[in-house]
C-alpha cells in the first residue's frame, strides 16, 4: 500500500514528539506507540498551539486547527462534529441552587458521542499516512464513532467488542459497515497496514481539548469556576487541563477548577485522590453497568489526578441511583437525553453542592458526553420505572410477543369482564377467530402467567360454574 503514496504522506506526523503524561519521557511519534515504555501510562502529543482562534470557514474540529496537529486539507475528514450547544440551564440550576450552570451538550454529535471529535482527527491522520484499515477495541462509543468516520474516509474498520456492549452502539457499528468481533478480553496485536485506535491513544486524546476551547468561545472568552467531567481513562480531564493552561496563558487568570466524576462501581482515580496517593491502584475488573467509564486501570489516571489537584478541584464518585436520577433530570428539565456516563457530571454536581464543596455563587459547566439513545437497555429500565406503560414497553421491546388470538382476547376483556364461553364466542363473532374452547383456556392461562389477565368473580348459573376473567393494570396499559 505504501508504495502507491508519495513519501511525504508518511512523514507528515514525524515532526511530533510524544511525551509521557506521568514521567515526562519523550518518544518520536509513531501511530503504533500508545503508552510510555517506562511507566505504561498515557502519552500526549506535543503540539505547539499556533493560535486559539476559531476558523469559521473550516468544517468540524478543523475550525480549531490552531491547537491540533497539522493535517493537510485533502486528508481532513469531518462529519460536522463539534460546535455543540452550550445550554444555559434554567431549571436544573434553580433546582440545585447554583448561580450559573451551563450544559455542554455533546449528545448532538454525528454518532451521539464527544468521541466524534477524536475520530475526526484520528481517521484524518491515519488517512494521511496511507493506512488501509483501522482496528479498534471498544466498550462502545469509540467503535461506533471510528466506524462512521472510517466509512467517510473509505477505510475499513474492525471492532472488537465485549459481550456486555450496549446494544445501540453495536447496531451503530454494524450499520456503519464495521466488521465486529465479540471477544472476552481485548488483545492488542499488530497487523500490517492497520492502525489501532484505543481510547487512550495520544491523537484521540488530543482532540478532546476542543471541548474546553469551544466552551471558552461560547462563554464570550470567560472561564467558569468549575468544569465537571466524567472520568474513565482520565483522558478528557487531562486534555481539558492542557487546554485550560493554553487558554490561561492568553487570558488574565485561570481559576477554573476541574472536577472528575466516576461511578461507585469503578473509581480508581477517586480512590487515589481521597487517599492522597500520587499513583493509581488498579481495581479488579468492574462489574458496573456504565461501561464506557468503567476503566479499572486508567492510562491517564495519574495525569488526571495531577490536573485535578493542580487546579484545586476534586474527584467524586456517585452511585447508579444518583446517575439515573441525573439522567432523568436532564431529560425532564432541560430536554437533553444523555447516556448514563454522560449524566455523571450532573450527578456529581448535585452531590457536591449538597455537601457544600461547590459554592452556590459559582459558574459551573457540566459536559454531557453522549446520547442516551445508544443504550436501549437503560432507557427501557428508566421508562419502566417512570410510567405505567411497563407492559407495553415489554411488548414493544420484544420481551413477550402477543399472538393475534391473545390480542383479540385482551381487546374483548377491555370491553367487559367475560367468562370462557363468552370469550370463545366473541373471538368467533367479532374477530373471525375459530378455536376450540380448551385453546381459549390455554391462552387465558398464558395471559394470566404474564400478568395481563386475572380471574375475577365466579357465579353459578343453571348449575354451571362461570369464572369471569378481567384485565390487570398491565393488561389495560397494553390494550
Ligand atoms: Zn512514563
Amino acid at each position: 500500500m505504501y508504495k502507491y503514496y508519495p513519501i511525504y504522506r508518511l512523514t507528515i506526523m514525524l515532526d511530533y514528539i510524544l511525551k509521557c503524561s506521568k514521567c515526562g519521557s519523550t518518544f518520536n511519534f509513531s501511530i503504533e506507540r500508545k503508552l510510555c515504555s517506562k511507566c505504561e501510562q498515557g502519552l500526549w502529543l506535543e503540539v505547539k498551539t499556533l493560535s486559539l482562534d476559531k476558523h469559521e470557514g473550516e468544517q468540524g474540529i478543523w475550525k480549531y486547527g490552531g491547537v491540533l496537529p497539522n493535517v493537510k486539507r485533502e486528508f481532513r475528514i469531518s462529519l460536522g462534529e463539534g460546535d455543540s450547544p452550550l445550554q444555559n440551564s434554567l431549571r436544573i440550576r434553580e433546582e440545585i441552587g447554583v448561580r450559573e450552570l451551563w450544559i455542554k451538550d455533546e449528545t448532538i454529535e454525528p454518532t451521539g458521542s464527544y468521541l466524534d471529535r477524536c475520530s475526526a482527527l484520528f481517521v484524518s491522520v491515519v488517512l494521511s499516512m496511507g493506512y488501509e484499515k483501522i482496528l479498534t477495541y471498544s466498550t462502545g462509543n469509540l467503535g461506533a464513532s471510528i466506524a462512521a468516520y472510517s466509512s467517510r474516509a473509505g477505510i475499513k474498520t474492525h471492532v472488537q467488542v465485549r459481550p456486555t456492549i450496549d446494544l445501540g452502539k453495536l447496531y451503530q457499528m454494524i450499520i456503519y459497515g464495521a466488521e465486529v468481533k465479540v471477544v472476552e478480553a481485548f488483545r492488542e496485536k499488530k497487523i500490517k497496514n492497520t492502525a489501532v485506535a484505543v481510547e487512550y491513544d495520544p491523537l484521540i486524546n488530543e482532540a478532546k481539548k476542543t471541548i474546553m476551547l469551544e466552551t471558552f468561545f461560547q462563554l464570550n472568552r470567560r472561564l467558569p469556576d468549575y468544569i465537571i467531567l466524567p472520568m474513565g481513562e482520565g483522558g478528557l480531564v487531562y486534555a481539558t487541563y492542557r487546554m485550560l493552561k493554553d487558554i490561561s496563558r492568553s487570558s488574565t487568570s485561570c481559576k477554573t477548577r476541574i472536577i472528575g466524576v466516576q461511578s461507585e462501581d469503578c473509581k480508581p482515580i477517586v480512590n487515589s485522590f481521597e487517599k492522597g496517593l500520587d499513583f493509581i491502584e488498579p481495581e479488579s475488573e468492574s462489574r458496573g453497568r456504565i461501561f464506557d467509564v468503567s476503566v479499572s486501570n486508567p492510562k491517564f489516571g495519574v495525569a488526571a489526578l495531577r490536573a485535578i489537584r493542580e487546579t484545586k478541584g476534586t474527584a467524586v464518585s456517585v452511585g447508579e441511583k444518583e446517575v439515573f436520577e441525573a439522567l432523568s433530570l436532564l431529560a425532564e428539565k432541560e430536554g437533553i437525553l444523555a447516556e448514563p456516563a454522560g449524566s455523571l457530571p450532573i450527578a456529581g454536581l448535585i452531590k457536591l453542592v449538597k455537601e457544600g464543596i461547590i459554592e452556590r455563587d459559582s459558574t459551573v459547566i457540566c459536559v454531557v458526553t453522549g446520547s442516551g439513545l445508544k443504550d436501549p437497555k437503560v432507557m427501557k429500565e428508566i421508562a419502566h420505572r417512570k410510567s405505567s406503560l411497563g407492559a407495553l414497553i415489554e411488548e414493544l421491546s420484544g420481551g413477550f410477543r402477543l399472538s393475534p388470538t391473545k390480542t383479540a382476547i385482551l381487546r374483548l376483556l377491555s370491553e367487559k369482564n367475560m367468562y370462557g364461553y363468552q370469550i370463545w364466542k366473541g373471538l368467533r363473532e367479532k374477530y373471525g377467530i375459530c378455536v376450540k374452547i380448551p385453546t381459549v383456556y390455554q391462552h387465558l392461562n398464558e395471559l394470566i402467567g404474564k400478568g395481563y389477565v386475572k380471574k375475577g368473580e365466579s357465579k353459578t348459573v343453571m348449575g354451571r360454574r362461570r369464572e369471569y376473567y378481567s384485565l390487570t393494570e398491565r393488561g389495560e396499559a397494553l390494550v
Side-chain angles (χ1 to χ4, degrees):
M1 181 72 180
Y2 292 134
K3 68 181 180 215
Y4 300 114
Y5 290 90
I7 288 299
Y8 78 86
R9 290 192 69 160
L10 299 173
T11 57
I12 287 169
M13 293 296 299
L14 296 184
D15 301 337
Y16 291 98
I17 295 289
L18 293 168
K19 198 166 183 179
C20 176
S21 62
K22 184 184 173 193
C23 74
S25 300
T26 55
F27 307 88
N28 286 331
F29 177 82
S30 151
I31 200 101
E32 284 164 14
R33 184 174 286 285
K34 308 295 180 190
L35 295 174
C36 171
S37 54
K38 291 177 186 150
C39 65
E40 293 292 304
Q41 283 288 294
L43 299 166
W44 57 278
L45 202 62
E46 228 177 10
V47 177
K48 194 170 181 296
T49 296
L50 298 173
S51 81
L52 290 177
D53 297 332
K54 187 176 179 187
H55 304 281
E56 289 296 349
E58 302 289 340
Q59 212 195 339
I61 54 157
W62 304 108
K63 291 188 175 88
Y64 311 108
V67 301
L68 296 175
N70 184 27
V71 178
K72 280 186 182 280
R73 187 163 270 112
E74 64 259 43
F75 303 122
R76 292 181 184 177
I77 298 295
S78 176
L79 289 169
E81 63 292 331
D83 264 341
S84 63
L86 184 68
Q87 301 284 13
N88 185 0
S89 161
L90 299 173
R91 313 212 309 129
I92 293 186
R93 175 182 65 77
E94 217 171 79
E95 191 152 324
I96 297 175
V98 287
R99 190 184 61 196
E100 244 185 290
L101 171 61
W102 298 88
I103 299 167
K104 182 65 173 159
D105 180 11
E106 290 286 303
T107 66
I108 60 89
E109 295 292 353
T111 76
S113 160
Y114 79 111
L115 291 170
D116 288 343
R117 296 170 185 263
C118 310
S119 301
L121 178 62
F122 185 83
V123 172
S124 301
V125 171
V126 161
L127 183 70
S128 77
M129 295 180 84
Y131 282 94
E132 291 174 325
K133 285 182 207 155
I134 296 177
L135 170 65
T136 181
Y137 308 91
S138 178
T139 47
N141 278 330
L142 184 62
S145 178
I146 289 279
Y149 280 79
S150 299
S151 300
R152 175 85 180 153
I155 292 176
K156 284 186 192 140
T157 313
H158 297 263
V159 192
Q160 290 198 357
V161 299
R162 294 224 177 96
T164 47
I165 185 171
D166 297 330
L167 203 53
K169 296 169 188 172
L170 180 63
Y171 292 156
Q172 277 186 299
M173 293 172 195
I174 296 168
I175 296 168
Y176 286 130
E179 195 179 286
V180 181
K181 197 174 168 194
V182 183
V183 294
E184 281 301 325
F186 299 143
R187 271 191 307 276
E188 274 192 45
K189 52 181 178 180
K190 280 183 186 167
I191 307 169
K192 209 177 157 213
N193 288 344
T194 302
V196 174
V198 282
E199 186 147 351
Y200 48 85
D201 182 279
L203 283 166
I204 284 178
N205 256 333
E206 200 61 27
K208 294 177 185 173
K209 293 195 303 191
T210 57
I211 296 181
M212 184 65 244
L213 183 59
E214 196 170 281
T215 309
F216 174 63
F217 293 138
Q218 286 171 318
L219 275 180
N220 288 325
R221 295 182 176 257
R222 263 193 313 148
L223 285 170
D225 298 315
Y226 294 95
I227 182 158
I228 312 184
L229 307 156
M231 289 195 291
E233 293 286 0
L236 179 58
V237 163
Y238 188 55
T240 302
Y241 164 76
R242 285 186 44 225
M243 196 68 251
L244 266 176
K245 269 177 69 174
D246 268 354
I247 294 171
S248 331
R249 267 182 219 127
S250 61
S251 165
T252 43
S253 69
C254 174
K255 53 177 179 50
T256 304
R257 297 171 179 209
I258 297 179
I259 294 176
V261 190
Q262 293 197 292
S263 146
E264 289 284 356
D265 300 319
C266 188
K267 49 169 183 143
I269 305 175
V270 174
N271 286 342
S272 291
F273 181 81
E274 286 172 351
K275 290 181 191 170
L277 304 176
D278 57 3
F279 57 91
I280 302 289
E281 294 173 315
E283 288 199 358
S284 53
E285 187 85 357
S286 162
R287 295 272 163 242
R289 286 200 294 168
I290 310 179
F291 304 123
D292 264 13
V293 285
S294 290
V295 181
S296 50
N297 187 12
K299 305 294 188 296
F300 285 90
V302 173
L305 208 53
R306 286 180 189 163
I308 288 169
R309 287 194 179 127
E310 204 175 299
T311 60
K312 299 188 171 62
T314 190
V316 67
S317 63
V318 286
E320 193 177 282
K321 188 169 168 275
E322 294 163 282
V323 176
F324 284 10
E325 278 168 10
L327 191 155
S328 288
L329 201 63
L330 267 169
E332 279 178 25
K333 305 277 182 193
E334 305 289 348
I336 295 170
L337 187 52
E339 67 175 340
S343 311
L344 282 172
I346 292 288
L349 171 66
I350 294 171
K351 187 170 178 178
L352 293 172
V353 171
K354 268 188 203 155
E355 289 175 358
I357 293 169
I358 292 183
E359 310 80 11
R360 291 188 183 272
D361 62 347
S362 307
T363 298
V364 183
I365 292 176
C366 284
V367 180
V368 175
T369 47
S371 163
L373 293 174
K374 287 163 165 269
D375 199 341
K377 268 187 290 183
V378 170
M379 291 301 109
K380 180 180 156 187
E381 199 176 314
I382 294 176
H384 231 294
R385 285 187 206 168
K386 284 178 71 166
S387 78
S388 60
L389 299 180
L392 178 65
I393 291 165
E394 265 321 308
E395 162 71 0
L396 292 174
S397 61
F400 174 52
R401 295 221 169 274
L402 286 182
S403 64
T405 309
K406 285 194 179 69
T407 309
I409 292 173
L410 292 177
R411 289 209 177 115
L412 285 169
L413 291 177
S414 72
E415 289 163 22
K416 62 175 183 183
N417 298 351
M418 291 182 175
Y419 56 95
Y421 174 76
Q422 257 182 321
I423 295 171
W424 173 81
K425 213 170 147 216
L427 283 175
R428 184 176 283 256
E429 287 169 4
K430 281 189 97 167
Y431 295 96
I433 296 172
C434 303
V435 290
K436 292 183 176 152
I437 287 204
T439 310
V440 172
Y441 284 107
Q442 199 183 325
H443 282 300
L444 281 168
N445 281 332
E446 283 169 21
L447 287 168
I448 289 170
K450 292 286 175 192
Y452 297 127
V453 169
K454 61 181 182 218
K455 272 188 196 174
E457 48 172 354
S458 57
K459 286 181 196 164
T460 305
V461 181
M462 297 195 315
R464 296 191 68 161
R465 199 171 161 78
R466 283 178 185 167
E467 281 194 321
Y468 282 80
Y469 294 84
S470 63
L471 293 182
T472 61
E473 257 179 54
R474 271 183 93 163
E476 272 169 23
L478 193 58
V479 177

